[in-house]
Amino acid sequence: MSIEEHLESKANILRLHSIRATTRAGSGHPTSCLSCAEIVATLFFKEMNIDPKNIDYIDNDEFVLSKGHAAPILYAALAEIGVIPKEKIPTLREFSSELEGHPVPRVKGIRVATGSLGQGLSIGLGMAYAKKLRDIGRRVYVLLGDGEIAEGSVWEAINLAGRLRLSNLTAILDMNRLGQSGPTILQWDSNAYASRVKAFDWDVFICNGHNIGELVEAFGGAKRSNKPSFIIAKTVKGKGVKFLENVEGMHGRALNEDQLQEALEQVGPKVRKEDFHPTNFIKASIQAGGKTADFSIDTDYELGEMVATRVAYGKALVKLGELNKNIVVLDGDVQNSTYTIYFFEEFPNRSLQCYISEQNMLGAAVGLQTQGFDVFLSTFACFLTRAFDQIRMASYSRADLKIAGSHAGVSIGEDGPSQMGLEDLAMFRSLINSRVLYPCDAVSSEKLTCLMANTDGVSYIRTTRPKTPVIYGNDEEFHVGGSKILRSSESDEVAILAAGVTVHEALEAHAILKQEEINVRVIDCYSVKPLDELTLRDAYEEIGHVVTVEDHYVEGGLGEAVASLGIAPHILAVRTMPHSGKPEELLAEQGIDASGIVRKVKEILG
Amino acid sequence: MSIEEHLESKANILRLHSIRATTRAGSGHPTSCLSCAEIVATLFFKEMNIDPKNIDYIDNDEFVLSKGHAAPILYAALAEIGVIPKEKIPTLREFSSELEGHPVPRVKGIRVATGSLGQGLSIGLGMAYAKKLRDIGRRVYVLLGDGEIAEGSVWEAINLAGRLRLSNLTAILDMNRLGQSGPTILQWDSNAYASRVKAFDWDVFICNGHNIGELVEAFGGAKRSNKPSFIIAKTVKGKGVKFLENVEGMHGRALNEDQLQEALEQVGPKVRKEDFHPTNFIKASIQAGGKTADFSIDTDYELGEMVATRVAYGKALVKLGELNKNIVVLDGDVQNSTYTIYFFEEFPNRSLQCYISEQNMLGAAVGLQTQGFDVFLSTFACFLTRAFDQIRMASYSRADLKIAGSHAGVSIGEDGPSQMGLEDLAMFRSLINSRVLYPCDAVSSEKLTCLMANTDGVSYIRTTRPKTPVIYGNDEEFHVGGSKILRSSESDEVAILAAGVTVHEALEAHAILKQEEINVRVIDCYSVKPLDELTLRDAYEEIGHVVTVEDHYVEGGLGEAVASLGIAPHILAVRTMPHSGKPEELLAEQGIDASGIVRKVKEILG
């Protein structure tokens, strides 16, 4: 039979798997699978250059299912090319199965988690950019739903990919007209989509998404294009099963047994006996690499020297960039505030200006790290909230990301609350398996940045805008889960736990109290997650009174982290509406400066 | 003199204020003010219909400064039309001044906070939609920077405004070519911007942003358009001061005294003696209204009846919609999952389908509430993370928002982690002045929804996917900061604090333990923020052992909230990587089901 007949047959095999598996699971999105069966079949059985035996190698073409709810058809395709056993398919959505309701990298052949819509194209952008950096002549295909294209993050990716002229990136729009609650804005208006995407410097191809010939032609055009390419595939939701085709209200509904039987009778006969195998299989050989040996860097500061931790972060990035050629740094147009500018100037080829689009920056970083790069990304701490959903999904992608947020807390001063990171500790602590680091001086900032470079998972470093004095010697060592006891005596009456800018306030408070013959212990909790549980418990049990002080809201910050250990701290934090002013005025207003700490200590000791 | 000469003079007066004030403050963004001086002057002194004496009334035209860092020129314009005293201007960025580094509603004539870029157009969309709803024939003007247009949220707003054909909405792009760290993507390519925006069904006008005549013509065209209108104003960053004009690296830098003198000498002579006052002033008379008397609703459930709290939320919205005609409900294409569909069907004219673009939905809600509407908005709890930055800014806008997040926790089951809200409590607790409510049954869900309708600030209600049994009588009363003691005895050995789905697990645990003659107190913490401090402290002091159990990550959740009160709870929460499975399997895996609670209680009692 012809290649078209072969692929049509394959498409219907994928349909059978999808409707059977979702009915067996009792939930899922069969109609969303049916609309893209020909697209997925054409990609997996003809267009994509992949090595099923070495699917994890990076010299394969990549496929990202941005419309993650169509997971069953992706699992079916992976099974049909032999990446996962076909017997697995019926375990869809079961507790013990890695074939989850939406894709996660637990499944061989899947590199990222999708299911929160509108994130796949950014990830694909990162993958495509990475393959160009590595000079790997493979392509990245991203399958988009027409509902998710309303997400601004998709347009952030379209904008940057057009700018970067990523000719190895192809997006396919499964234009099936129906969202979850009703029709999409543009329904089947291919030309409206085309003019929008073309305006962002992409090549656009329009085709019937159920016609193999037209799909093959569109993919051919995409391969010949010197720009990123966008294929608008007109499809029918529920295609192949008459009572589901283009019917509203059937999104996310599995078929019951009777409906399944009827559906199988309609789809089954369209499956032909296979007479030949896919012709696109290749031999892949390049492993991702990256994740190389531990690095260490030397610092050269004078005690008491005034340096902002954000500046030290920038200096450390350059040192790490020398040692590790896999490091790529992203920034959102604030390089001169986060100080990634040092890296950008030293290593322009491993620096990516993402402009003011934090969601796409996060997604691109996730894509880049799938290709073996060690990715650092930076912006103001407060603007990382813009990408919380992407950060959350990165943790489910088991991504290794090194994120730096600058301008933390009210200590930024005059710019006001819109620029103050006051919820970033809460946000990053809430991620599963995250690490949260918070340096108070230049030495610890450089050492913690280096530590982050050697740490898996999503790690976050919080830097400060104003200069702070260097308090650590250049030979000081730091580790994840550590802390530093900066002041202590045999007769400490209160333990003060601080981090970042408040460490210096705590040291000043210690000096003031000492003159009044009140001894306090001062501990730098530079590792906010995980905390140095042992040291903090010892202090609590020995001293009894603990005060935490942080330039962050109470909720989800250092104080609550300490409290969750069973220690009952007095929490000094930002509690009233922040506003503009001098840093020292704002720290004082919130009672998180030296005199606020002194007041609290005296109140405790009554 | 001619109106053009008059407006040119006004523009330079605004320039003088802006550079003087920022130099005095020692920080700020003078060059970003200078580029938009003619735009702002033309709007405030000619185009906008405003009543300076009643600027807070809603039958004024509205101005939103999306590029919030140009705040000084907005303050200058408000001072020049007499809304705020000119003597205030030099207090820019001072601790005691309401003229903050970026705009906040503390300033008369400013309704929302801006400064996190890319949010103003969504707010303007909400305002324009609200004026249409109220049949107020006024216009909304949003001034955008060309750096922030890379934010996807801007394109979400452009997309929906085009769809809604908001002819009373005009966006002005201050195309000054330079971002913070370098040139923007499109620099001065007006046609590229034009083709992009036109493709989203807007009318586009291109002009020289320093030519009053061209600006007036463009604004005229905008007023005649039956679509939303986008004015691309080509400008020069730093315009009017030769050594600043189109110079890189001058973003966010105040001038020193010498530079200021030189600048004043260049700008000063362009100011003419005024010979007439603005002609656009009107008499405004319509107050926002809304925020009406307290409402209460009746429920009609049977004890033990199985109803999902998200369904009860939907039912309550309809009852509230009957009582309060100011209620408008927004949803992100999941009406049939959040159950706002009941309201959408009953009150289509007060329902806004925002499609899958959560950031724009949040911004639109902020805009709507400035016009006196009581705004509810809903989507899956996890997808609210997409709009964390907008939610954060809403709190600085002092906005009244009622937000509902459905599908909380692992209890959603088979769909997997991408659809699970596991960090929403942390996110909403971290907002200043927020309220967080979490019902466990249909009665409390309806009553808490009603409570939320009567509560100012940003309030959040967390609903659950599966059905739960009704445990409260229809006459039960709830309040912000309250809790319910569901089980107690003279001999309680442990207090179990639960909320939402875990309340039912706690009740089951109570029954199991009772058979073994172990008494435990069960408290429903339906008000997570603020907590019922008194009741919880009493339980702790009386019983000594406290267990919190929640379907949420440990960080920033119920357990840490309780711990922050000085109570040292044993925290049962989601601690391992979530995945697909049956709700009961997943609750058991995390140890937050009845048997997990029983295990923990026995462990404590050793």
Side-chain angles (χ1 to χ4, degrees):
Chain A
M1 59 177 162
S2 72
I3 180 75
E4 283 77 9
E5 291 169 328
H6 166 65
L7 293 174
E8 280 163 9
S9 178
K10 283 290 190 192
N12 286 303
I13 290 171
L14 300 181
R15 285 192 167 98
L16 291 178
H17 286 308
S18 303
I19 53 179
R20 277 204 203 96
T22 46
T23 293
R24 192 174 187 291
S27 65
H29 304 73
T31 58
S32 305
C33 297
L34 295 172
S35 65
C36 60
E38 282 77 17
I39 297 168
V40 173
T42 304
L43 281 169
F44 279 81
F45 302 106
K46 178 175 187 308
E47 293 300 326
M48 287 201 296
N49 291 303
I50 43 178
D51 179 352
K53 291 184 183 49
N54 300 294
I55 196 75
D56 297 340
Y57 287 12
I58 58 175
D59 52 338
N60 284 284
D61 282 347
E62 304 280 350
F63 176 78
V64 178
L65 183 67
S66 189
K67 50 174 286 183
H69 52 287
I73 200 163
L74 173 55
Y75 301 147
L78 290 171
E80 285 293 325
I81 63 171
V83 171
I84 60 174
K86 290 184 187 175
E87 310 81 72
K88 268 271 170 202
I89 298 177
T91 68
L92 177 71
R93 292 176 161 246
E94 286 178 5
F95 179 82
S96 56
S97 173
E98 67 269 28
L99 302 188
E100 300 198 27
H102 292 76
V104 286
R106 297 170 67 192
V107 181
K108 201 167 173 228
I110 295 179
R111 295 196 195 271
V112 296
T114 54
S116 181
L117 292 169
Q119 301 191 16
L121 193 56
S122 298
I123 294 168
L125 179 155
M127 290 175 165
Y129 185 77
K131 289 195 191 290
K132 293 234 177 193
L133 277 182
R134 291 218 182 280
D135 200 21
I136 292 173
R138 296 294 180 205
R139 305 185 57 78
V140 178
Y141 296 91
V142 180
L143 181 56
L144 297 166
D146 53 351
E148 68 177 316
I149 204 161
E151 288 283 14
S153 51
V154 175
W155 295 92
E156 291 179 1
I158 289 174
N159 186 26
L160 189 62
R163 157 81 170 188
L164 297 173
R165 294 186 76 85
L166 293 175
S167 55
N168 57 340
L169 177 62
T170 296
I172 307 99
L173 181 68
D174 179 7
M175 188 179 63
N176 65 23
R177 196 184 76 84
L178 296 174
Q180 173 178 324
S181 71
T184 59
I185 292 181
L186 293 178
Q187 302 201 34
W188 274 326
D189 189 347
S190 322
N191 295 327
Y193 283 116
S195 58
R196 293 177 182 198
V197 177
K198 270 185 198 150
F200 286 82
D201 305 316
W202 284 52
D203 267 336
V204 175
F205 305 85
I206 300 174
C207 68
N208 173 345
H210 300 303
N211 181 309
I212 300 289
E214 290 190 29
L215 280 167
V216 169
E217 195 175 317
F219 284 119
K223 283 177 181 166
R224 287 187 298 274
S225 170
N226 60 357
K227 297 177 176 181
S229 45
F230 197 92
I231 296 174
I232 299 166
K234 184 185 175 186
T235 59
V236 174
K237 199 162 184 174
K239 177 70 176 182
V241 178
K242 284 278 160 282
F243 62 88
L244 295 176
E245 287 184 357
N246 197 28
V247 176
E248 287 194 39
M250 288 306 291
H251 179 93
R253 292 222 188 138
L255 304 182
N256 62 35
E257 278 303 334
D258 295 349
Q259 293 172 310
L260 176 62
Q261 286 319 313
E262 193 178 341
L264 294 178
E265 282 158 25
Q266 293 180 33
V267 179
K270 299 182 190 152
V271 173
R272 300 158 179 257
K273 189 186 157 307
E274 269 184 88
D275 57 344
F276 63 93
H277 275 299
T279 53
N280 60 327
F281 288 172
I282 55 147
K283 184 90 194 69
S285 57
I286 306 173
Q287 277 176 303
K291 317 287 165 295
T292 31
D294 279 9
F295 300 100
S296 68
I297 59 177
D298 297 326
T299 59
D300 181 22
Y301 295 99
E302 301 285 325
L303 288 176
E305 190 180 348
M306 298 296 290
V307 185
T309 53
R310 59 185 172 132
V311 172
Y313 165 75
K315 290 181 189 291
L317 278 188
V318 174
K319 294 176 187 175
L320 288 164
E322 298 283 2
L323 297 168
N324 178 358
K325 302 302 176 196
N326 276 319
I327 288 178
V328 174
V329 177
L330 280 54
D331 200 301
D333 194 38
V334 287
Q335 297 91 297
N336 45 350
S337 291
T338 58
Y339 282 93
T340 56
I341 189 165
Y342 295 152
F343 189 96
F344 272 59
E345 285 169 351
E346 193 69 23
F347 308 106
N349 300 337
R350 289 190 277 140
S351 303
L352 181 58
Q353 155 72 293
C354 293
Y355 300 94
I356 308 175
S357 54
E358 297 76 13
Q359 298 185 75
N360 183 55
M361 176 164 67
L362 247 296
V366 171
L368 273 155
Q369 59 89 45
T370 65
Q371 307 296 299
F373 287 106
D374 296 319
V375 187
F376 283 77
L377 59 97
S378 311
T379 184
F380 283 27
C382 60
F383 302 140
L384 288 166
T385 58
R386 193 64 154 260
F388 191 10
D389 197 18
Q390 280 79 4
I391 294 166
R392 177 183 76 91
M393 289 299 292
S395 71
Y396 299 135
S397 288
R398 282 70 167 172
D400 297 322
L401 291 183
K402 298 93 172 61
I403 305 175
S406 67
H407 295 66
V410 299
S411 70
I412 71 163
E414 290 79 0
D415 270 340
S418 66
Q419 317 294 302
M420 295 172 177
L422 289 165
E423 51 291 296
D424 54 315
L425 294 179
M427 178 170 71
F428 281 101
R429 285 187 61 240
S430 76
L431 302 171
I432 195 138
N433 299 335
S434 61
R435 305 271 178 274
V436 178
L437 306 171
Y438 187 10
C440 70
D441 80 342
V443 171
S444 52
S445 185
E446 285 207 39
K447 300 273 178 109
L448 292 175
T449 302
C450 181
L451 209 52
M452 188 159 67
N454 301 326
T455 305
D456 292 343
V458 177
S459 40
Y460 175 64
I461 187 167
R462 184 185 213 219
T463 65
T464 304
R465 186 188 145 280
K467 293 176 176 176
T468 49
V470 171
I471 64 168
Y472 290 115
N474 294 305
D475 54 356
E476 199 75 44
E477 287 184 0
F478 300 82
H479 60 275
V480 173
S483 70
K484 296 283 182 187
I485 298 175
L486 299 175
R487 300 286 186 277
S488 69
S489 75
E490 295 303 306
S491 58
D492 292 332
E493 298 179 70
V494 177
I496 301 168
L497 314 186
V501 68
T502 60
V503 167
H504 306 282
E505 302 299 328
L507 290 172
E508 193 185 328
H510 172 275
I512 295 167
L513 289 163
K514 192 158 187 58
Q515 291 174 344
E516 307 180 30
E517 281 157 356
I518 300 171
N519 287 323
V520 294
R521 184 166 305 175
V522 177
I523 303 177
D524 174 6
C525 299
Y526 65 79
S527 177
V528 175
K529 182 183 177 185
L531 282 166
D532 184 352
E533 201 168 330
L534 209 63
T535 303
L536 303 189
R537 278 191 195 291
D538 287 350
Y540 184 53
E541 279 151 26
E542 180 189 334
I543 302 171
H545 300 298
V546 169
V547 173
T548 60
V549 52
E550 64 196 298
D551 192 358
H552 183 278
Y553 287 134
V554 176
E555 297 85 359
L558 175 65
E560 289 195 354
V562 169
S564 72
L565 299 180
I567 296 170
H570 301 266
I571 301 175
L572 299 179
V574 176
R575 293 178 184 271
T576 65
M577 182 65 82
H579 56 88
S580 292
K582 295 198 184 69
E584 55 274 24
E585 292 173 319
L586 300 175
L587 291 170
E589 179 180 45
Q590 299 295 342
I592 56 176
D593 64 343
S595 57
I597 296 168
V598 168
R599 267 200 313 279
K600 174 58 70 175
V601 167
K602 289 181 173 176
E603 177 195 315
I604 292 168
L605 301 178
Chain B
M1 59 179 160
S2 71
I3 180 75
E4 282 77 10
E5 291 169 328
H6 166 64
L7 293 175
E8 281 163 8
S9 178
K10 282 291 190 191
N12 286 303
I13 290 171
L14 299 182
R15 285 192 167 97
L16 291 178
H17 285 309
S18 302
I19 54 180
R20 278 205 202 96
T22 46
T23 293
R24 193 174 186 292
S27 65
H29 304 74
T31 58
S32 304
C33 296
L34 295 172
S35 66
C36 60
E38 282 77 18
I39 296 168
V40 173
T42 305
L43 281 169
F44 278 82
F45 302 105
K46 179 177 186 305
E47 292 300 325
M48 286 201 298
N49 291 304
I50 42 178
D51 178 351
K53 292 187 183 48
N54 300 294
I55 195 75
D56 297 341
Y57 288 11
I58 58 174
D59 53 338
N60 284 284
D61 282 348
E62 305 280 350
F63 176 78
V64 179
L65 183 68
S66 189
K67 50 175 284 185
H69 50 287
I73 200 163
L74 173 55
Y75 302 147
L78 289 171
E80 284 293 324
I81 62 170
V83 171
I84 59 175
K86 290 183 185 175
E87 310 80 70
K88 268 274 171 201
I89 298 177
T91 68
L92 177 71
R93 294 177 161 244
E94 287 179 4
F95 179 82
S96 56
S97 174
E98 68 269 29
L99 302 188
E100 300 197 29
H102 292 77
V104 286
R106 296 170 69 192
V107 180
K108 202 169 173 225
I110 295 177
R111 296 194 195 272
V112 296
T114 54
S116 181
L117 293 169
Q119 300 192 16
L121 193 56
S122 299
I123 293 168
L125 179 155
M127 290 175 165
Y129 185 77
K131 290 196 191 290
K132 294 233 176 194
L133 276 182
R134 291 217 182 282
D135 200 21
I136 292 172
R138 297 293 180 204
R139 305 185 57 78
V140 179
Y141 296 91
V142 180
L143 181 56
L144 298 166
D146 54 350
E148 70 177 316
I149 205 161
E151 288 283 14
S153 51
V154 175
W155 295 93
E156 291 179 0
I158 289 173
N159 187 25
L160 189 62
R163 157 81 170 189
L164 297 172
R165 295 186 74 87
L166 293 175
S167 56
N168 58 338
L169 177 63
T170 296
I172 308 99
L173 182 68
D174 179 6
M175 187 179 64
N176 65 22
R177 196 185 76 85
L178 295 175
Q180 172 176 324
S181 70
T184 59
I185 293 181
L186 294 178
Q187 302 201 35
W188 275 325
D189 189 346
S190 321
N191 295 327
Y193 283 116
S195 59
R196 291 176 183 199
V197 177
K198 270 186 199 149
F200 286 82
D201 305 316
W202 285 52
D203 266 338
V204 176
F205 305 86
I206 300 175
C207 68
N208 173 344
H210 299 304
N211 181 310
I212 301 288
E214 290 189 28
L215 280 167
V216 169
E217 196 175 315
F219 283 119
K223 284 179 181 165
R224 288 188 298 275
S225 170
N226 60 357
K227 297 177 176 182
S229 45
F230 197 92
I231 297 174
I232 298 166
K234 183 184 176 186
T235 59
V236 174
K237 199 161 184 174
K239 177 72 175 182
V241 179
K242 285 278 159 280
F243 62 89
L244 295 177
E245 286 185 359
N246 197 28
V247 176
E248 287 195 38
M250 289 305 293
H251 178 94
R253 293 223 187 137
L255 304 182
N256 62 35
E257 278 304 331
D258 296 349
Q259 293 172 312
L260 176 63
Q261 287 318 313
E262 194 178 340
L264 294 178
E265 282 158 24
Q266 293 180 31
V267 179
K270 299 185 192 148
V271 174
R272 299 155 179 260
K273 191 187 155 304
E274 265 185 90
D275 57 342
F276 63 94
H277 276 297
T279 54
N280 59 325
F281 288 173
I282 54 145
K283 183 92 195 65
S285 59
I286 305 174
Q287 280 177 301
K291 319 283 164 296
T292 30
D294 280 7
F295 299 100
S296 69
I297 59 175
D298 296 328
T299 60
D300 181 24
Y301 295 100
E302 302 284 323
L303 288 176
E305 191 180 347
M306 298 297 290
V307 186
T309 52
R310 58 186 173 131
V311 172
Y313 164 75
K315 289 181 189 292
L317 278 187
V318 174
K319 294 176 187 174
L320 288 164
E322 297 283 1
L323 296 167
N324 178 359
K325 302 301 176 196
N326 276 319
I327 288 178
V328 173
V329 176
L330 281 54
D331 199 301
D333 194 38
V334 287
Q335 297 92 297
N336 45 349
S337 291
T338 58
Y339 282 94
T340 56
I341 191 166
Y342 296 151
F343 189 97
F344 272 60
E345 285 170 350
E346 193 69 22
F347 308 107
N349 301 335
R350 290 190 278 140
S351 303
L352 181 59
Q353 155 73 293
C354 295
Y355 301 94
I356 308 174
S357 54
E358 297 76 12
Q359 298 194 1
N360 183 57
M361 176 165 67
L362 246 297
V366 171
L368 272 156
Q369 59 89 44
T370 65
Q371 308 296 300
F373 287 107
D374 297 318
V375 187
F376 284 77
L377 58 99
S378 312
T379 184
F380 283 27
C382 60
F383 301 141
L384 288 165
T385 57
R386 194 62 155 262
F388 190 12
D389 197 18
Q390 281 78 3
I391 293 166
R392 177 183 77 90
M393 289 300 292
S395 71
Y396 299 134
S397 288
R398 283 68 166 171
D400 297 322
L401 291 183
K402 298 95 173 58
I403 305 175
S406 67
H407 295 65
V410 298
S411 70
I412 72 162
E414 291 78 359
D415 270 340
S418 65
Q419 317 293 302
M420 294 172 178
L422 288 166
E423 51 291 296
D424 53 315
L425 294 179
M427 177 170 72
F428 281 100
R429 285 187 62 242
S430 76
L431 302 171
I432 195 138
N433 300 334
S434 62
R435 306 270 179 276
V436 178
L437 306 171
Y438 188 9
C440 69
D441 81 341
V443 170
S444 52
S445 184
E446 285 207 39
K447 300 272 176 109
L448 292 175
T449 302
C450 182
L451 207 54
M452 188 158 68
N454 301 326
T455 305
D456 292 343
V458 176
S459 41
Y460 175 64
I461 187 167
R462 184 183 212 219
T463 66
T464 304
R465 187 188 144 281
K467 293 177 177 176
T468 48
V470 171
I471 63 168
Y472 290 115
N474 293 304
D475 55 356
E476 199 76 44
E477 288 182 0
F478 300 81
H479 61 275
V480 173
S483 71
K484 296 283 181 186
I485 298 177
L486 298 175
R487 299 285 188 277
S488 71
S489 75
E490 294 304 306
S491 57
D492 292 332
E493 300 179 68
V494 178
I496 301 168
L497 315 186
V501 68
T502 60
V503 167
H504 306 282
E505 302 298 328
L507 291 173
E508 193 184 328
H510 172 276
I512 295 167
L513 289 163
K514 190 154 188 61
Q515 291 172 344
E516 307 180 30
E517 279 156 356
I518 300 171
N519 288 322
V520 293
R521 184 166 304 176
V522 178
I523 303 177
D524 175 6
C525 299
Y526 65 80
S527 178
V528 175
K529 183 184 175 184
L531 282 167
D532 184 351
E533 203 168 327
L534 207 65
T535 302
L536 303 190
R537 280 191 194 291
D538 287 350
Y540 184 54
E541 279 151 26
E542 179 190 333
I543 302 171
H545 299 300
V546 169
V547 172
T548 60
V549 53
E550 65 196 296
D551 193 358
H552 183 278
Y553 287 134
V554 177
E555 297 85 0
L558 175 65
E560 289 195 354
V562 170
S564 72
L565 300 179
I567 296 171
H570 301 266
I571 301 175
L572 299 180
V574 176
R575 293 178 185 271
T576 65
M577 183 63 83
H579 55 88
S580 292
K582 294 196 185 68
E584 54 275 22
E585 292 173 320
L586 300 175
L587 290 170
E589 179 180 44
Q590 300 295 341
I592 56 175
D593 65 342
S595 57
I597 297 168
V598 168
R599 267 201 314 280
K600 174 58 70 175
V601 167
K602 290 181 173 175
E603 177 194 314
I604 292 169
L605 300 179

